[in-house]
Each structure stands twice: as C-alpha cells, then as structure tokens.
Amino acid sequence: MTSIKPSALLKGEGLPDYDKITPNEITKNIPLLIKDLNQKLNKLEEQLVKKLSTKSYLSWEDVMPQLYEIGEKLRWSWGVVSHLNAVCNSSELREVHSTQQPVIVRFSNQLAQSEVIYQALSNLKEYGCINNETQIRIIETELITMKNKGIGLKVDEKKLFNSRSERLAELSTIFSNNVLDASNSWSLLLKKHSEVAGLPERALETLSLAAKEAGDIAVGGNAPSASTGPWRVGLDLPRYIPFQTYAKNRPIREKVYRAFVSRASDGKLDNKKIIEEILALRNKQARQLGYKNWCEISLATKMADNEEAVETLLEELRSAAMPHAKKELAELLECAQRNGESEHFELSPWDISFWAEVLRKEKYDLDQEKLRPWFPLDQVLNGLFNLCKRLFEIDIQETKGVAPLWHEDVRFFNVKNLNGQNIASFYLDPFSRPASKRGGAWMDECLCRNQKGKDKIILPVAYLVCNQTPPIGNKPSLMSFEEVETLFHEFGHGLQHMLTTVNYPQAAGINNVEWDAVELASQFMENWCLEDQTISEIAIHWESKESLPKSEINKLRLSRTFNSGLATLRQIHFALTDLKLHSQWNEDSTISPDEMRRQIAKDTTVLAPIPEDQFLCAFSHIFAGGYAAGYYSYKWAEVLSSDAFAAFEEAGLSNKDEVRKIGKKYRDSILSLGGSRSPNQVFKKFRGRLPSTKALIRHSGLD
Ligand SMILES: [Zn+2]
C-alpha cells in the first residue's frame, strides 16, 4: 500500500510546513511547480487573447485575480526556499537554491514579459473602466514594472535581457555567499589576558564559547572559559562589534579591523570582479530599456522624482553634518590624548569605536554593556506589545503548537483587535546563528492580506528576523539598547504588513509602497524606545526586577545625538556611493568602483578609508539585496518618520488621550493604507500637510 505524500512545497498557501521541507523536496517539486504555473499562464493568456479580440475593454476580474494567483504561488513556494536559505543555511540547501534559481528567474521574467498581459493591463488602464484608486495604482505599478523587466523589447533583445537577469541573480547569490564564507573563514585565537583587556564579561563569554565550538583548549587541557580563555574573536557582528568597542589592545583591534573591512576582497572569495560585472550588467539592461543608467530605473518607481532630488536632500544633510562630524572627531582625539595617548597620536579607523565608547562614558557615564541585564528579550517584548496596545489598540499573544517552525528558537504570535478578533500573526527568530543564518535583521512576508471571496479573508503573517545576542547558560538573551532599537524597527515593518486594511494583496501592507517611503513605519517605531512609559516597561533588570534608573534613561536620551554628525555622514557616504556607482560608473570607466568610492569619500568622510578597506565587497544591500540606487531611501524615509513622530511630540507624549487619538490616525493612514495611495497622499492624511525635514534635523541634533 502506498500513500501519496502531499508536497509541502506545492501547497502554495497557508503556513508553510517547515518541518517537512527538505533539499530533496525542493529539487523534486520546484520543476513541478514551474510546469503547473506555465500551464496556468498559458491558459490565462489564451483567455485574454480571446477577450481582447471580442471585447473593446476588459474588467479587473478578467485579468487581475488569475494573474495574482500565478505570482502568489511562485512567491509563496520560492519564498519558503529563500527564507530557509537565509535562516538555516547548509551546503545542501545552498546548492539546491542556486540550482533551482535560474528556473525561477526565467519564469518570473516570462510572466513579467508576457505581451498579452501587458496589453491586457494597458487596456485596463486606457479604457478607464476602473475608477477604484487602489486598482489604478496597482495597474500603473504593474505596467512600469513590466516595462523595466524588458517588455516591449524585440525578441533578440529580450533574450539578451533575460540572460542578463539570470546572470545577475546568480552573481548576487555568489556575492552574499562570499561575504558569509569570508566572515566565517577568519578568526583569531587569543590566549593572553592582555589581548582581551577591556572586554566586558559578556563579550568574553561569547568569545570563549566560540573557542569551545572551534575545539580550542586552555593550557592544561581545560575547556575554554570566559575568565581563563582562550578566546576566539571573529567577524560576525556579535563578536566583532564588542571587540572594536572595548578591546584596549590596539594592535589586535587593528588586526581584527583590517580583516573585517577587507572581507571578500581577495582570493577565492573576492567580490571585486563580481561587483564590476553586476554594475556593468545593470547598466546594459538600463540602456536596453531606454534609460540612461540603472539609477533612472530605480527612481522611476520611487517617491523621489529624480537623481537631483536625492542629491539635494543628501547635500542638505551632508552640509549640516560635516561641521558636527569634524568637531566630533576632534573631541575623540582630545579624549584619546587625555587618556594617555601622546600629543602626536593620530586617530585610525580602528580607534573610532573604542574612543567613542570612552568618550561616551565620560560624557554620559553610559556603559552600554552594563545596561544589557535591564533588557531581557521577554521584558522588551512585553513593553513593545504594550506600546502597540496603547497606540494601535491591538493585543499580541504568543501561541505554541500552531505553526511548524524552522528552528527551536523561533516563536509564533497572534495579533488581535481589542475585541479578540484575530487580524494577523508573526514569527520571531531573534538570535544570531553565525554559521547558518544570514547577518542583519529583516521583516519578510509569509502571507499577505487578501480578500478571496465575500466572506473569506486571508490574514497577513510576517517573518521577523533579528541577529541579537543569544541566551548564554541560565541567562536569557540580554539585549544591547541597539538590539532593542533593531527589534522595534523590524516590528514597525511588521505592523505595516499586519495592520493593513487593504484587501488587494498587491497594495496591502508594504506592497506597492515606494522603497524610499517603506522605512517610515519602521524608523517611526524606533523613536518610541525612549519614550517614558515604553522605556519603563521594557527596561527591568532580569534578576533583581529593578527598573532602569532615571539617570541612565536620561543618559541614553542625551547619547542619542552623540556623534550624530559622524553617523549621518556615514549613511550619506553609503547612499551617495551607491547612487553614483549606478549613475556614473560603467565598464568603460577609467576608474574602478572602489576608486569612485574613494573620490566620494573625500567629501563624505572625515577619516579616509585605509587601502585594505574594501567595504564595497561586503555591501550586500546593493549587490545582494534590493537597494541598488536606493540606499538613500533610509535617509529619505527618516525625514518622514521623524516628522510623523513629531506629531505625537507636539501633542505631548504623556497626554494619553491625545496619544491614543493620534495613534489611531496613524494606524488608519500609514499602517492601514499601505501602498494603496501615493506616499504623499498617505502622509498628508496623517499629518494634514506634506513632510518637512525640520523634525529630522532637530532629532539628530544637527540644528
Ligand atoms: Zn527597515
């Protein structure tokens, strides 16, 4: 007797069965999925050809639901594979992912380049039988996206365009694997106390744990321990950042810094040629489509009108930040000299984090590491959920056993209206797992809100992924304040995804929101971390249950604008480099991307990058993520988020009724409308006017 096992990967809807999806399953089923989708697409095209020849105009129902279904099946299944590749990476999975990817890209392109569908969408737009604003916006986005994927190209040109897309997808995977492998392949064993002097206990624990995992042993054959060593420092952020911030041993700090900034820049894992190939291919594709460069393609679908508008905003911020940054650097130098360095001492890049921490302590007597015990994960979640209740009138509860999980650290939560009605859910995968999980933090969509029938609504489900410090021994995950802010940030994205009221999935949540406006909801949430009630609820010592003293909270507040000139410049440096690489660099350029970066650095840094600094080789945002010619979006959206938070400040953050009222307004506009209206319209609905940069300049202390 044989029973046919239903394929977890072809289910195409609902919560994924993460316990059943294996590399084998993927290899077997992705081709079947593509075959099925091809048939569906052919059928839809046949129907549309028939309708276009007999009817003068089409209706939404003639095209959009079927089209969405095809795209959604693909997104769902491949989304599951990509998600696993990011959070449970293994050599088998990686191999399967890269083997199947070309087929996926080919089908996506075929879908995006269907002449029949393009005609059908143009017909929908032109004959104006659609007057629903959301539908119009969805169609316009589809049309421009299709154009940018090569529709309208002649057969040969299209073939070339597609082969370039496939190569680009391949290159971005190689790029990020190189970064991951380069980070993992370097580490340094430290045996002497003098080599780890200055490191807080927690960092020592992490390093000795890494030594233990690497099979290192202490003198006398004992297992490594935090107090006796040995310790192994590496390039993953939970080890790298504390080391740069606290290690007093300057030569080792320098060694680790040099290894970090030169990741993936030589040998087998060298990304330099990959970068040039990516930029050249993007450029060629842009010109095939009639754009001047990739930057124009990027901005065609963004809130910013053109490159000049972006440059203007960046230049405003740069000129405000530069004098502050110079002053801040001078203060760091004075601080170093005051603390034992000679009068001839010069700052190097590996000194910045270290002396910044010393100066921060002097100025605010703030020791971020010492604050960790006040931010245990569960307490932070508690305060975050209460904040959401106050602002948006929702209840968030953890639920066990409902959703299959991909790792034992992952948790699943439901989001309910105050009347108990379920409106959304999310997974939380909080901890760093350097060997198998991509770095950074992100929110991704598992399921989108979708009105499927009169009484059937699919509720949104989000993935929230962080890389914060894991629990050690009997201690829970004790978060740095920065990790708290990151969690709030990703949660903000999650809220926009989950609290949407748009019933068209193409414009629900973060869908169809312009890239440069999409960080509004996330950065907005960061502003709340230090609001009186929130901080009093998230910051409670995990052992003593004491609140974080007021004086410490004040220091955190004051320190928010500490070195903000340097921090602003850093973001502008990245943003401008990204922009210029995609508008000015091409394969005929006489300078390399790195040289172009160094030219830009002259006006956007106060300490020139050292020769080994090959930051571009690990700039995954633009070479392995979706931020190409769009990194500026962080700053652009920060203008929006600061201005949105200022609405609450103006009413008074302690005024409960007003906060609730404005919170409701925020939920009903920014969170609810998502991509169904233009960002300016959505913002105006909340604020009653267009965005202003005043609040950001004030919040950054650059006024
Ligand atoms: Zn974000």
Side-chain angles (χ1 to χ4, degrees), residues 320-384:
M322 186 53 97
H324 286 268
K326 283 184 178 154
K327 223 171 82 196
E328 289 157 10
L329 196 70
E331 278 183 47
L332 289 182
L333 181 61
E334 279 167 32
C335 171
Q337 287 166 342
R338 187 163 62 240
N339 287 283
E341 295 293 354
S342 77
E343 57 179 315
H344 305 294
F345 178 78
E346 278 179 38
L347 286 169
S348 294
W350 46 90
D351 298 317
I352 302 297
S353 303
F354 179 78
W355 289 112
E357 189 57 24
V358 174
L359 183 61
R360 197 201 304 264
K361 262 182 219 159
E362 278 185 11
K363 268 189 155 175
Y364 313 109
D365 187 28
L366 184 67
D367 181 343
Q368 297 218 44
E369 276 302 308
K370 281 208 181 116
L371 293 189
R372 281 183 187 267
W374 272 272
F375 296 106
L377 173 63
D378 276 332
Q379 192 62 47
V380 172
L381 286 178
N382 203 24
L384 171 60

Side-chain angles (χ1 to χ4, degrees), residues 436-467:
S436 62
K437 186 169 161 184
R438 213 176 79 199
W442 66 92
M443 189 288 290
D444 202 356
E445 300 170 338
C446 176
L447 301 178
C448 269
R449 188 180 168 93
N450 183 10
Q451 175 110 41
K452 280 210 106 169
K454 223 175 169 198
D455 301 312
K456 194 181 173 199
I457 285 200
I458 310 247
L459 295 177
V461 179
Y463 298 117
L464 297 172
V465 185
C466 295
N467 260 290

Side-chain angles (χ1 to χ4, degrees), residues 385-401:
F385 297 167
N386 271 339
L387 170 68
C388 292
K389 191 171 187 172
R390 280 194 287 138
L391 291 179
F392 310 128
E393 306 190 316
I394 51 171
D395 260 328
I396 300 172
Q397 287 156 7
E398 181 164 13
T399 163
K400 290 189 175 153

Side-chain angles (χ1 to χ4, degrees), residues 303 520 636-637 639-641 643-644 679-684 687-695:
M303 185 176 172
L520 161 55
W636 189 276
V639 168
L640 308 180
S641 60
D643 201 9
N680 274 331
Q681 246 178 309
V682 175
F683 192 87
K684 226 171 152 182
R687 205 64 167 102
R689 58 164 174 75
L690 290 175
S692 139
T693 56
K694 270 190 196 153

